[in-house]
Amino acid sequence: MAANEYQVTGMTCGHCEMSVREEVSGVAGVEDIQVSAQTGRLVVSGSGEIDDAKVLAAVEEAGYTAVRA
């Protein structure tokens, strides 16, 4: 299983986590999402390649910014 890690800026609470999780779950190939507002960490896992650009766009759609960690 492939896992990509990102650092998300701007999350402050559980609602923020939920927003990011909801948007990122729509990215093709994503099977598992771990997100923490406390650390700003987002780990996205899937059985195949996950498109970084699509994950970053999904985070932006949720209202936050992210970079690959």
Side-chain angles (χ1 to χ4, degrees):
M1 184 174 267
N4 297 356
E5 185 173 338
Y6 306 88
Q7 188 64 40
V8 180
T9 305
M11 294 189 300
T12 58
C13 64
H15 184 266
C16 299
E17 293 174 355
M18 190 172 62
S19 296
V20 169
R21 184 176 285 112
E22 187 175 300
E23 290 295 334
V24 173
S25 68
V27 175
V30 171
E31 295 175 7
D32 184 58
I33 301 165
Q34 297 174 17
V35 60
S36 169
Q38 188 174 7
T39 63
R41 187 169 174 248
L42 168 66
V43 179
V44 179
S45 305
S47 56
E49 282 295 311
I50 298 169
D51 188 335
D52 275 342
K54 290 182 179 176
V55 172
L56 296 174
V59 171
E60 193 171 309
E61 184 67 29
Y64 309 96
T65 56
V67 293
R68 181 80 189 256

